Amino acid sequence: MRAVVRGTERDLLVFSGRAHLELSERIAEELGTELVPTQARDFANGEIYVRFEKSVRGADCFVVQSHTAPINDWIMEQLIMVDALKRASANSITVVAPFYGYSRQDKKHKGREPISARLVADLLTAAGADRIITVDLHTDQIVGFFDGPVDHLFALPLLADHIAAHTDQSRLTVVSPDAGRVRVADRWCDRLGAPLAIVHKKRDKDVAHQVTAHEVVGEVAGRVCVLVDDMVDTAGTICAAADVLYANGASDVIVAATHGILSGPAVDRLKNSRVSRFVFTDSLPSAAAVDLDKVEVLSIAPVVAQAIKEIFENGSVTRLFEQ
């Protein structure tokens, strides 16, 4: 085990939970280090045990865990890891959650509902986390739920540049699948120099995952449409939006999303969809596990590793995206 040292006496140590070990290893490799050896196992009744096999006293520790299924188990494991580091006298503890669990529950839509995204932040604080690194939160307001620094990273440059390199940019139209993604789609337009279109949809408030897409605002006929979103879960919204685009004359539809959750019927919907390409990052292991030629997975590890390096060296994470 070797630690990264950058002109300081402090050690940078990277730890990984069991949710997405491959991504953690890629991040450590980008940093020129290795993951700290860790014992992690489940007791017969489901309780999680964690112990680190290296001293962490005085070290700056980064705990990587993407909140994939079974999401509650992996959030709990990360909380336990943070608690162990706090009790072992770590100098600082940064939670690295490429996908932040419960991010869709960021506000109350009806009475007697929780704000679970805030609860997750409170749990991380109580466990001993000093800082959070995450990628493409569902809404920006979640940054304010944590009483400490939050480095909100973006996969847009990675995804947009990949699309631009493999598509005729003069034919591109960026499409928001609903009104809530318009700001994100605007950033894509600036990056690609492409026009914007919006799919108007109506969701049944009493039936989960039930979406009816209606009409398109903007010119899509004869265009290559890039549907952009932060996540694809059951793929109902994105596939319905793609159908509407084709019905309005789009020549091709590409989907680009940071988080490929791909729950339940998602894989079948991707397979049967007319969408030519789905481009995700490896923030979750589920996207990489899909064996479909039309699914492409890009690694978010270099972006996360660079942010970790900037934090450790007291640099600027913001400048990574200003460039």
Side-chain angles (χ1 to χ4, degrees), residues 35 57 88 96 114 119 121 126 130 135-136 170 172 180 243 253-254 258 262 284 286 295 321:
L35 299 174
R57 185 178 298 275
V96 183
L119 175 60
D130 301 301
V135 183
D136 281 333
S170 66
L172 287 179
D243 289 342
V253 177
I254 302 167
T258 304
L262 307 183
L284 292 166
S286 45
V295 174
F321 301 101

Side-chain angles (χ1 to χ4, degrees), residues 135-136 153-165 187-188 191-192 258 281 298 300 303 320-323:
V135 183
D136 281 333
L153 311 182
F154 303 99
L156 188 157
L158 175 69
L159 294 168
D161 290 353
H162 178 81
I163 296 293
R187 295 172 192 154
W188 275 78
R191 184 85 177 189
L192 295 174
T258 304
T281 76
L298 311 179
I300 201 73
V303 177
L320 300 178
F321 301 101
E322 288 178 340
Q323 294 172 352

Side-chain angles (χ1 to χ4, degrees), residues 92-163:
S92 68
I93 305 170
T94 299
V95 163
V96 183
F99 176 71
Y100 183 97
Y102 289 89
S103 63
R104 282 173 288 186
Q105 298 185 45
D106 60 307
K107 57 184 173 291
K108 292 179 67 173
H109 297 276
K110 300 178 182 179
R112 301 179 298 281
E113 286 185 340
I115 304 179
S116 303
R118 172 59 192 262
L119 175 60
V120 172
D122 289 343
L123 290 170
L124 292 169
T125 300
D130 301 301
R131 190 180 197 110
I132 295 176
I133 298 174
T134 189
V135 183
D136 281 333
L137 289 167
H138 190 59
T139 55
D140 291 340
Q141 71 190 43
I142 298 173
V143 169
F145 292 171
F146 183 77
D147 293 329
V150 177
D151 294 289
H152 186 193
L153 311 182
F154 303 99
L156 188 157
L158 175 69
L159 294 168
D161 290 353
H162 178 81
I163 296 293

Side-chain angles (χ1 to χ4, degrees), residues 18 37 53 55 62 80-81 87 100 112 133 142 197 199 209 222 258-259 262 287 301 312:
R18 294 173 290 171
E53 297 181 348
S55 173
F62 294 81
I80 290 171
M81 294 174 73
R87 298 179 189 281
Y100 183 97
R112 301 179 298 281
I133 298 174
I142 298 173
V199 175
H209 312 304
T258 304
H259 310 296
L262 307 183
F312 182 65

Side-chain angles (χ1 to χ4, degrees), residues 56-294:
V56 303
R57 185 178 298 275
D60 291 327
C61 301
F62 294 81
V63 185
V64 184
Q65 182 87 301
S66 205
H67 300 162
T68 186
I71 189 169
N72 298 322
D73 291 353
W74 300 136
I75 290 176
M76 190 65 196
E77 182 175 83
Q78 192 170 36
L79 292 169
I80 290 171
M81 294 174 73
V82 170
D83 182 75
L85 291 171
K86 176 182 69 175
R87 298 179 189 281
S89 303
N91 178 63
S92 68
I93 305 170
T94 299
V95 163
V96 183
F99 176 71
Y100 183 97
Y102 289 89
S103 63
R104 282 173 288 186
Q105 298 185 45
D106 60 307
K107 57 184 173 291
K108 292 179 67 173
H109 297 276
K110 300 178 182 179
R112 301 179 298 281
E113 286 185 340
I115 304 179
S116 303
R118 172 59 192 262
L119 175 60
V120 172
D122 289 343
L123 290 170
L124 292 169
T125 300
D130 301 301
R131 190 180 197 110
I132 295 176
I133 298 174
T134 189
V135 183
D136 281 333
L137 289 167
H138 190 59
T139 55
D140 291 340
Q141 71 190 43
I142 298 173
V143 169
F145 292 171
F146 183 77
D147 293 329
V150 177
D151 294 289
H152 186 193
L153 311 182
F154 303 99
L156 188 157
L158 175 69
L159 294 168
D161 290 353
H162 178 81
I163 296 293
H166 296 85
T167 313
D168 180 0
Q169 286 186 252
S170 66
R171 299 181 59 215
L172 287 179
T173 292
V174 176
V175 183
S176 172
D178 54 44
R181 296 287 104 192
V182 171
R183 283 188 63 189
V184 173
D186 268 335
R187 295 172 192 154
W188 275 78
C189 292
D190 292 341
R191 184 85 177 189
L192 295 174
L196 172 68
I198 304 167
V199 175
H200 172 70
K201 73 171 186 180
K202 184 176 181 180
R203 184 185 295 273
D204 190 330
K205 65 181 180 179
D206 296 317
V207 181
H209 312 304
Q210 188 67 44
V211 175
T212 303
H214 286 277
E215 60 185 20
V216 176
V217 179
E219 183 58 48
V220 299
R223 307 286 292 177
V224 176
C225 295
V226 183
L227 268 168
V228 298
D229 212 342
D230 63 317
M231 66 179 73
V232 173
D233 189 356
T234 61
T237 295
I238 215 75
C239 289
D243 289 342
V244 171
L245 292 174
Y246 278 117
N248 281 266
S251 63
D252 191 16
V253 177
I254 302 167
V255 170
T258 304
H259 310 296
I261 303 174
L262 307 183
S263 305
V267 174
D268 285 339
R269 285 174 174 168
L270 265 59
K271 182 178 180 180
N272 297 323
S273 171
R274 293 177 64 191
V275 173
S276 64
R277 281 188 285 160
F278 291 88
V279 185
F280 303 114
T281 76
D282 60 352
S283 64
L284 292 166
S286 45
V290 177
D291 186 20
L292 289 176
D293 291 338
K294 63 168 68 177

